[in-house]
């Protein structure tokens, strides 16, 4: 069965960077897009962008452009999301989620808590 | 960006009763080319990732109880939960996937009365 397994919780200071990984198994990795969604404490779900796992093409929400980079390593079927210049309001649970082109998110990672604090 | 507005923000329903959650989109998510509404509903429980319940506005995902149903087209959509069970307590989100960035509604918190 399809599984998305994310890396563990991270604590960073303001201004630092964080890179979260999402290991996919159980299906053909390059047939899909990987999206990244975050949820800040007490807030709703927010889409950060996506990466085409076949071509590597990316599309980032305007809010994160210039600070986020999504990559993938097809040899180990893993997607990555790096967020730079972290601020306290980047404290959130970050999820990877898989979708076919033009389809909803059918599988999700378990989430990675990123805490930004002095 | 497409803005999705859910109503209500929260509701409390007695066990066995029905619940209705609405989602209004700032733009139509109906594609004329395939006559499909690019609108999904998710259930999100604490400590878990969101779970896809409904896709294409009204298609129930495999394994989702039949008490969950979706309806609507264009800009107005509804998630209906009949015969509410204790395990249905969660936050429910609508999401459009017709264009990037994909966006979610603000969420509706469902509790037991």
């Amino acid at each position: 069965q399809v599984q998305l397994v994310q890396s563990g919780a991270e604590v960073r200071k303001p201004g630092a960077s964080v890179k979260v990984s999402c290991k996919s198994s159980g299906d053909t990795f390059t047939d899909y897009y990987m999206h990244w969604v975050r949820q800040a404490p007490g807030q709703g779900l927010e889409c950060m962008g996506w990466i085409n796992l076949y071509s590597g093409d990316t599309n980032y929400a305007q809010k994160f452009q210039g600070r986020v980079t999504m990559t993938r390593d097809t040899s180990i079927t893993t997607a990555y999301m790096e967020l730079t210049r972290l601020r306290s309001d980047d404290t959130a649970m970050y999820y990877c989620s898989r979708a076919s082109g033009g389809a909803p998110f059918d599988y999700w990672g378990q989430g990675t808590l990123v805490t930004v604090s002095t | 960006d497409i803005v999705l507005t859910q109503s209500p923000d929260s509701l409390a329903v007695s066990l066995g009763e029905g619940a209705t959650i609405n989602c209004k989109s700032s733009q139509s998510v109906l594609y004329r080319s395939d006559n499909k509404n690019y609108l999904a509903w998710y259930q999100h429980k604490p400590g878990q990732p969101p779970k896809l319940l409904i896709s294409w506005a009204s298609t129930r995902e495999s394994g989702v109880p039949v008490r969950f149903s979706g309806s609507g087209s264009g800009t107005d959509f509804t998630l209906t939960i009949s015969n509410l069970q204790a395990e249905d307590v969660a936050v429910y989100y609508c999401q459009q996937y017709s264009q990037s960035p994909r966006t979610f509604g603000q969420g509706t918190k469902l509790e037991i009365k």
Side-chain angles (χ1 to χ4, degrees), chain A residues 35 37 39 43-47 50 59-62 95 99-106 108-111, chain B residues 1 38 40 42 44-45 47-52 54-56 61 93 95 97 100-106:
Chain A
H35 296 250
V37 178
Q39 183 178 37
Q43 303 299 308
L45 301 172
E46 180 177 35
C47 290
W50 53 258
N59 183 289
Y60 306 138
Q62 188 168 14
Y95 295 99
S100 300
F105 303 156
D106 54 0
W108 295 68
Q110 82 277 19
Chain B
D1 297 2
Y38 286 57
Y42 297 85
H44 195 193
K45 296 182 179 181
Q48 300 180 22
K51 175 187 176 182
L52 177 63
I54 304 281
S55 58
W56 312 110
E61 294 298 300
Y93 294 91
Q95 182 210 32
Y97 46 99
S100 293
R102 299 187 177 199
T103 49
F104 289 93
Q106 80 275 19

